[in-house]
Amino acid sequence: MRPPPRIALLAVGVIAAAVGLAVARGQGEVPADRPAAAAPRPALSRTPLLPQADRAPQPTSAGLAAALAGRLTDRALGTTISVSVVDAGTGATLVDIAGQAAVLPASTVKIATAVAVLTGLPPDTRLTTRALAGPLPGDVVLVGGGDVTLAGPRAAPTSPPAARLVDLADQVRVALAGVPARRVLVDDTAFTGPSTGPGWRPGYVGAGDVAPVSALSVDGGRADPARLARVADPALAAGAGLAALLAPTAVVARGTAAPGSAALGAVSSPPVAQLVEAMLTRSDNDLAEALARRLAVAHGRQASFTGAAAAVQETLGPMAPAGTFALVDGSGLSRQDRVRPAGVTALLVLAARGDDGLLSPVLTGLPVAGFDGTLADRFRAGPAAPAAGQVRAKTGTLEGVSALAGLVRTAEGRLLAFDVTADAVPVGGTLAAEAALDRLAATLASCGCR
């Protein structure tokens, strides 16, 4: 275990933030955060995370250290563990064990992406997919705007409702006024650079953990919306989907519309605030990459991995010391990402105490232990079960890495922000490490620790 360094704290204001629940299930992480078999859920506490006046007793550092001592030596967590536990009401550090160490974070990176996107973009921003008239009669140019939630005809209804390709096809059909569609040209040039990230393992796309990053896709680049498998070229697949709705004989190819081309139709995603919620709850890698690129565009950068990572770090700059977030993607799939756990807890404190509600989708998007998202089938049995509904946290899983970062209320009612990252988990030990992290979070939930 690394020696505990000193940490720099962020100044935060004091305000209320009542939290609802975003109930959604879907894409998991690499390799083990997949939805598991359903089982009865325990009763859910809907107590607001941070009351108007958080007067509950604060745990002491000594009390917490004593309570966690046995959990932190669990062999399932491997040989290096970084821990940051902060009082959400005061910002005071209660436990810091290598909290300033640069660790491989996996999907807890999505907390940083979420805060950056909500800070840098208006919350009502939507991602729009357009259809424009092409160069020849009967040409339709399908222009992607980064909406990976655009739903095909076979996709199940979602909440909030996603934009649907059939609605765009209906608009195009009316606009063509009887002219048959002869070609569907796809324009995915809103995103630039490689379609897979630096430090991504080649098997991620093949396993269905993420699609090749594209400004134009339907059903998250899946060949079948009910399955994980991804297509090799999401833009061409999206064009084929529109062609099937307009004219099955239409040719599908890449192309662009001339400046000033007539609009044939447009459909838009739910607002960015709702997309952030879904991204966190489901640990949606495709959404994370798309949202980070939209932020890059807002910063005047290229919508690439490099531009998106730079935009996230630039936005978070005033919120954390230099070097806290060293990122190369928005999803946390890259093994080149590095994050200081104390920086993650600082962002969680900001979200919990934000006076304008700007960051509230971070709170509502965090999976709820035992109920939804990537925590739906955890905290369901054994020592961790009493904490079901009491822990709201983002999971992080890569080979050799297991992390859990979020918010928990103690037995005496004090709200804590925490990040525990184990980045030397034994080979094949992911499930055991997750169970150990759940027990650790449950210990925080059951603790008075004074």
Side-chain angles (χ1 to χ4, degrees):
M1 198 175 294
R2 303 182 184 95
R6 299 170 60 111
I7 80 167
L9 292 177
L10 299 178
V12 294
V14 178
I15 195 71
V19 175
L21 297 176
V23 180
R25 299 187 61 183
Q27 173 187 349
E29 300 172 25
V30 181
D33 288 353
R34 307 272 189 216
R41 265 63 171 169
L44 175 63
S45 168
R46 297 182 182 270
T47 305
L49 285 182
L50 198 59
Q52 195 70 15
D54 195 353
R55 299 190 180 94
Q58 183 185 83
T60 65
S61 294
L64 281 171
L68 295 177
R71 298 299 188 199
L72 293 173
T73 57
D74 193 318
R75 292 184 178 180
L77 294 175
T79 56
T80 58
I81 308 168
S82 298
V83 183
S84 175
V85 181
V86 176
D87 183 271
T90 66
T93 299
L94 302 176
V95 177
D96 185 277
I97 302 171
Q100 288 288 2
V103 301
L104 176 56
S107 271
T108 56
V109 160
K110 293 185 176 74
I111 294 174
T113 299
V115 171
V117 167
L118 293 170
T119 302
L121 295 176
D124 59 352
T125 300
R126 296 173 185 264
L127 309 181
T128 299
T129 306
R130 298 175 294 144
L132 302 176
L136 299 173
D139 283 354
V140 178
V141 182
L142 183 60
V143 184
D147 181 13
V148 298
T149 67
L150 179 62
R154 295 183 293 167
T158 60
S159 180
R164 299 191 69 87
L165 193 64
V166 292
D167 295 334
L168 183 59
D170 289 343
Q171 295 176 40
V172 171
R173 199 176 293 110
V174 170
L176 288 176
V179 176
R182 56 182 296 273
R183 288 197 304 174
V184 174
L185 306 178
V186 298
D187 181 351
D188 58 353
T189 56
F191 290 174
T192 62
S195 62
T196 58
W200 285 16
R201 295 209 166 157
Y204 288 169
V205 172
D209 295 296
V210 68
V213 177
S214 172
L216 176 60
S217 65
V218 173
D219 297 326
R222 292 176 175 82
D224 181 333
R227 298 180 180 276
L228 290 173
R230 309 305 181 102
V231 297
D233 192 325
L236 287 178
L242 181 61
L245 293 168
L246 294 174
T249 58
V251 174
V252 179
R254 277 188 160 74
T256 58
S261 295
L264 302 179
V267 290
S268 296
S269 72
V272 157
Q274 294 179 345
L275 295 179
V276 166
E277 285 184 325
M279 181 263 288
L280 289 171
T281 304
R282 303 197 304 259
S283 195
D284 192 312
N285 298 314
D286 305 285
L287 256 178
E289 299 300 343
L291 290 171
R293 278 162 177 71
R294 184 59 182 257
L295 181 66
V297 173
H299 279 244
R301 297 179 177 275
Q302 288 194 340
S304 62
F305 281 102
T306 300
V312 169
Q313 291 168 162
E314 185 176 282
T315 305
L316 297 178
M319 306 177 198
T324 298
F325 302 99
L327 307 178
V328 301
D329 66 6
S331 61
L333 283 175
S334 178
R335 302 190 74 85
Q336 296 177 20
D337 289 325
R338 293 295 182 271
V339 168
R340 298 177 185 176
V344 175
T345 53
L347 295 183
L348 290 166
V349 169
L350 287 175
R353 306 203 65 87
D355 58 357
D356 56 7
L358 182 69
L359 298 181
S360 61
V362 175
L363 308 181
T364 55
L366 289 174
V368 181
F371 286 87
D372 65 1
T374 54
L375 287 183
D377 298 299
R378 293 170 59 172
F379 293 86
R380 304 294 297 282
Q390 305 302 317
V391 175
R392 294 161 166 88
K394 181 71 198 73
T395 55
T397 308
L398 289 173
E399 185 178 343
V401 181
S402 291
L404 194 65
L407 295 156
V408 59
R409 188 172 294 284
T410 69
E412 294 187 336
R414 196 75 180 185
L415 186 68
L416 305 179
F418 68 93
D419 182 311
V420 183
T421 300
D423 59 1
V425 172
V427 175
T430 296
L431 294 179
E434 289 177 347
L437 290 174
D438 296 351
R439 291 191 292 269
L440 192 151
T443 298
L444 292 175
S446 65
C447 191
C449 297
R450 289 188 290 151

